[in-house]
């Protein structure tokens, strides 16, 4: 029987990157990828543990698969990702339908573990942190991503231990991949058709390998002719070093959107989050970046109703939003995560939390709407990524990462084209390709 793997991915871009790399390796033991669950002989769920009922979501999902295969041959069921790391053995005990549990720093062992399981029919859990061996293994497995915009993980793990966050526990200590290995992978992606590379890391700007920094990586990847755009995510305010800021003054390819989570506008709350930066530190970075390149815009993450957040703390967050005018942001109600320091803190009333989320989102969305509106009737450079589902229009992104729906043709895919913006809403710009224009706004 043909081996077919169905991969479902929850969570951040790093999980998306990992799912693709897992497929790259299981291909070696004969798996094809399928998007049709019914024909899967292996079901892999790549999980996220960041908020809410992450664990329950996983069991719910496995329950659905179980139901789907009730009258058919059971697929091999593998759980990977951050819930796998956090729950490990527990998952095998609680849900016998799961066969293998593999943590994010053990993906290099996946083929071996699958074969071992098929041989002995004995459940397996593998959650050792071994980022060095993992990346060493994967450097010899070709990255098959052929997307116009491709992810490239350069750094993994986190040593910062914000008191609300599970990532240091699920991804392990910070590890930066060797410089040359990353450049080689970027060249492969470029040869596969990538026009944009998005460097990934939980603390991507903490990247340090020998004497190389993220700034060095950006400048080196800029030299690859086929690559037209470079982005990175997610960065920490404390690691916005001057050499990285300086790149914004000289770069031709680094996009002018900086995703820099602040979480709160109150120093009191930042301190009790163990964020290791103040509002002032953040503003210093903001001013420096604006000074060096005034086209730079910011996006951010916010946690509202963190334990101890009083009205005045919340109002300070609203003030910073008004000041910086983030053009795109994510906001969440604090969710206590097992094993983290803040999970022991007293929660804020649910109604107050929801009201604060509503208020913050109203401000953030208004910024987004205003910014998108300001692009109307202007020409923007858009990297066209694919045909939309309606098979009529095309999807691309502006330099600020904003989705753009445009007219076009297949030959525009993979190209940066000038687009006249004719309309907008909160999340999307709409436009037409402009043929003879030298005008450029963003
Ligand atoms: N490393 C990034 C940083 O330092 O900002 C964040 C990575 S985390 C995967 C993405 C976002 O999830 C965070 O910026 C934070 O806003 C949110 N988040 C993390 N833990 C959370 C929690 N316990 N409750 C609510 N939101 C949370
Ligand atoms: Fe989580 Fe903080 Fe690390 Fe970001 S810096 S991954 S929020 S612990
Ligand atoms: Fe989720 Fe793990 Fe990413 S918890 S956000 S999948 S690092």
């Amino acid at each position: 029987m043909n081996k077919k793997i169905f991969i479902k991915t929850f969570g951040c871009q790093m999980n998306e990157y990992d799912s693709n790399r897992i497929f790259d390796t299981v291909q070696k033991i004969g798996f094809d990828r399928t998007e049709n669950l019914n024909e899967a002989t292996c079901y892999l769920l790549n999980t996220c543990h960041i908020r809410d009922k992450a664990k329950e979501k996983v069991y719910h999902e496995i329950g659905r698969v179980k139901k789907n295969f009730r009258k058919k041959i059971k697929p091999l069921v593998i759980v990977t990702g951050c819930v796998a790391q956090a729950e490990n053995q527990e998952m095998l005990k609680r849900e016998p339908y799961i066969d293998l549990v593999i943590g994010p720093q053990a993906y290099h062992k996946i083929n071996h573990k699958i074969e071992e399981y098929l041989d002995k029919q004995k459940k397996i859990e593998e959650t050792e942190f071994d980022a060095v061996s993992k990346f060493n293994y994967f450097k010899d497995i070709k990255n098959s991503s052929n997307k116009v915009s491709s992810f490239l993980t350069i750094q993994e793990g986190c040593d910062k231990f914000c008191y609300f966050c599970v990532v240091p526990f699920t991804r392990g200590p910070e590890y930066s991949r060797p410089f040359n290995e990353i450049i080689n992978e970027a060249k492969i992606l470029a040869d596969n058709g990538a026009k944009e590379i998005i460097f990934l890391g939980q603390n991507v700007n903490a990247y340090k390998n020998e004497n190389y920094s993220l700034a060095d990586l950006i400048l080196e990847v800029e030299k690859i002719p086929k690559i037209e755009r470079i982005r990175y995510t997610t960065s920490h305010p404390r690691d916005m070093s001057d050499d990285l800021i300086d790149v914004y003054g000289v770069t031709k390819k680094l996009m002018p959107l900086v995703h820099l989570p602040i979480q709160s506008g109150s120093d009191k709350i930042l301190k009790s989050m163990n964020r290791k930066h103040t509002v002032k530190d953040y503003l210093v970075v903001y001013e420096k970046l604006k000074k060096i390149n005034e086209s730079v815009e910011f996006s951010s993450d916010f946690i509202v109703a963190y334990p101890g957040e009083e009205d005045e703390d919340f109002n300070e967050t609203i003030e910073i939003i008004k000041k910086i005018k983030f053009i795109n942001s994510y906001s969440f109600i604090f969710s206590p995560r097992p094993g983290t320091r803040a999970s022991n803190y007293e929660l804020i009333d649910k109604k107050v939390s929801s009201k604060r989320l509503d208020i913050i989102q109203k401000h953030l969305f208004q910024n987004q709407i205003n910014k998108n509106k300001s692009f109307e009737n202007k020409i923007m450079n858009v990297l066209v990524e694919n045909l939309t589902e309606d098979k009529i229009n095309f999807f691309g992104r502006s330099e600020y990462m904003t989705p753009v729906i445009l007219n076009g043709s297949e030959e525009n895919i993979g190209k940066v084209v000038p687009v006249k913006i004719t309309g907008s809403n909160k999340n999307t710009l709409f436009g037409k390709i402009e043929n003879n224009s030298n005008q450029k706004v963003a």
Side-chain angles (χ1 to χ4, degrees):
M1 189 169 53
N2 281 345
K3 292 194 210 164
K4 291 207 161 130
I5 188 166
F6 179 96
I7 304 181
K8 179 147 187 175
T9 309
F10 290 139
C12 61
Q13 295 107 320
M14 298 195 70
N15 261 12
E16 265 187 57
Y17 174 84
D18 288 345
S19 289
N20 287 332
R21 299 299 277 143
I22 289 172
F23 174 61
D24 289 339
T25 184
V26 296
Q27 254 182 321
K28 301 234 169 263
I29 53 166
F31 280 97
D32 284 332
R33 196 161 180 172
T34 177
E35 302 301 325
N36 177 359
L37 178 62
N38 288 318
E39 62 175 30
T41 60
C42 176
Y43 173 82
L44 187 143
L45 184 60
N46 197 2
T47 62
C48 171
H49 202 39
I50 203 80
R51 275 176 297 274
D52 305 325
K53 301 176 181 76
K55 201 167 80 182
E56 295 315 312
K57 239 203 251 172
V58 170
Y59 291 115
H60 180 75
E61 202 56 37
I62 298 291
R64 279 184 26 177
V65 176
K66 203 165 156 179
K67 212 165 145 193
N68 189 78
F69 283 90
R70 195 179 284 147
K71 290 190 181 133
K72 299 182 210 145
I73 299 171
K74 176 190 179 301
L76 173 69
V77 175
I78 308 177
V79 180
T80 58
C82 290
V83 180
Q85 186 67 39
E87 286 288 292
N88 51 63
Q89 284 286 353
E90 281 309 302
M91 304 204 89
L92 297 178
K93 283 191 204 142
R94 179 167 158 184
E95 180 46 272
Y97 202 70
I98 301 171
D99 302 310
L100 278 86
V101 172
I102 300 186
Q105 305 306 0
Y107 295 153
H108 54 300
K109 297 185 187 161
I110 200 161
N111 287 355
H112 178 62
K113 296 292 162 190
I114 290 176
E115 285 176 333
E116 191 181 322
Y117 175 79
L118 294 176
D119 187 31
K120 299 188 180 139
Q121 295 292 311
K122 199 165 169 273
K123 308 264 170 192
I124 293 173
E125 177 260 346
E126 176 57 67
T127 48
E128 198 191 341
F129 284 136
D130 191 1
V132 178
S133 306
K134 180 177 85 169
F135 284 112
N136 197 31
Y137 170 87
F138 276 101
K139 78 175 189 318
D140 299 322
I141 306 282
K142 192 174 178 237
N143 189 326
S144 65
S145 166
N146 59 0
K147 290 199 168 153
V148 170
S149 173
S150 281
F151 295 134
L152 204 178
T153 293
I154 64 166
Q155 177 279 339
E156 233 188 300
C158 179
D159 295 338
K160 296 221 166 41
F161 290 91
C162 300
Y163 289 163
F164 53 81
C165 185
V166 287
V167 170
F169 306 99
T170 62
R171 294 272 170 173
E174 266 177 34
Y175 170 75
S176 294
R177 296 179 60 191
F179 184 83
N180 287 334
E181 225 176 273
I182 296 168
I183 301 303
N184 286 343
E185 194 169 329
K187 286 180 181 158
I188 289 171
L189 291 170
D191 288 341
N192 291 353
K195 292 290 177 329
E196 174 174 275
I197 297 277
I198 308 183
F199 290 137
L200 299 180
Q202 269 94 21
N203 275 282
V204 73
N205 55 342
Y207 176 86
K208 196 98 217 137
N209 190 275
E210 295 176 349
N211 280 327
Y212 295 113
S213 65
L214 176 59
D216 298 319
L217 269 178
I218 293 167
L219 294 173
E220 193 61 28
V221 169
E222 275 208 358
K223 294 180 192 157
I224 304 175
K226 290 177 190 160
I227 298 299
E228 301 198 34
R229 290 181 165 188
I230 302 169
R231 303 181 190 273
Y232 60 89
T233 195
T234 298
S235 29
H236 191 283
R238 217 183 60 169
D239 295 315
M240 286 306 291
S241 54
D242 284 341
D243 70 329
L244 180 56
I245 291 173
D246 287 345
V247 174
Y248 286 87
V250 293
T251 182
K252 299 265 178 312
K253 296 185 177 176
L254 180 60
M255 292 294 100
L257 175 70
V258 181
H259 182 64
L260 192 60
I262 186 167
Q263 314 294 357
S264 168
S266 153
D267 280 341
K268 182 189 100 187
I269 295 298
L270 290 176
K271 190 151 190 268
S272 79
M273 286 176 166
N274 193 31
R275 276 294 286 179
K276 302 184 174 82
H277 64 83
T278 61
V279 174
K280 180 146 182 261
D281 295 334
Y282 193 96
L283 285 171
V284 167
V285 171
Y286 170 81
E287 299 294 350
K288 278 188 188 170
L289 275 160
K290 278 287 194 192
K291 197 166 162 207
I292 204 151
N293 183 341
E294 65 173 359
S295 72
V296 168
E297 298 284 356
F298 290 73
S299 63
S300 189
D301 293 348
F302 295 89
I303 295 179
V304 299
Y306 185 76
E309 185 188 74
E310 292 170 292
D311 282 342
E312 58 199 46
D313 301 306
F314 180 66
N315 290 338
E316 284 179 341
T317 302
I318 300 298
E319 284 314 305
I320 198 81
I321 290 170
K322 286 186 186 158
K323 184 172 173 58
I324 297 196
K325 297 194 174 63
F326 299 97
I327 67 165
N328 175 31
S329 291
Y330 301 92
S331 44
F332 318 96
I333 293 177
F334 167 70
S335 167
R337 309 310 297 132
T340 61
R341 182 109 155 221
S343 65
N344 302 316
Y345 297 171
E346 195 180 328
L347 285 178
I348 287 186
D349 174 76
K350 271 194 176 160
K351 269 196 190 148
V352 174
S353 308
S354 305
K355 189 158 173 228
R356 286 188 187 160
L357 187 68
D358 281 350
I359 297 172
I360 196 174
Q361 291 192 335
K362 216 176 95 210
H363 285 275
L364 291 169
F365 293 163
Q366 197 55 53
N367 282 351
Q368 261 175 248
I369 290 168
N370 294 346
K371 189 72 190 175
N372 285 350
K373 192 110 197 122
S374 76
F375 292 131
E376 287 183 15
N377 298 316
K378 306 236 168 84
I379 314 272
M380 299 187 89
N381 285 329
V382 174
L383 174 58
V384 183
E385 293 187 20
N386 51 269
L387 193 61
T388 54
E389 266 178 25
D390 64 13
K391 307 261 183 264
I392 299 169
N393 293 304
F394 287 79
F395 171 89
R397 287 190 188 268
S398 75
E399 293 187 352
Y400 294 111
M401 196 80 182
T402 316
V404 184
I405 303 295
L406 60 142
N407 67 327
S409 63
E410 295 273 346
E411 69 192 29
N412 297 126
I413 294 178
K415 301 218 167 79
V416 175
V417 294
V419 173
K420 172 124 182 221
I421 303 302
T422 52
S424 70
N425 61 28
K426 183 177 80 175
N427 297 316
T428 314
L429 299 169
F430 302 90
K432 287 195 165 65
I433 294 181
E434 196 68 5
N435 289 322
N436 300 310
S437 177
N438 299 317
Q439 227 185 315
K440 178 189 161 203
V441 288

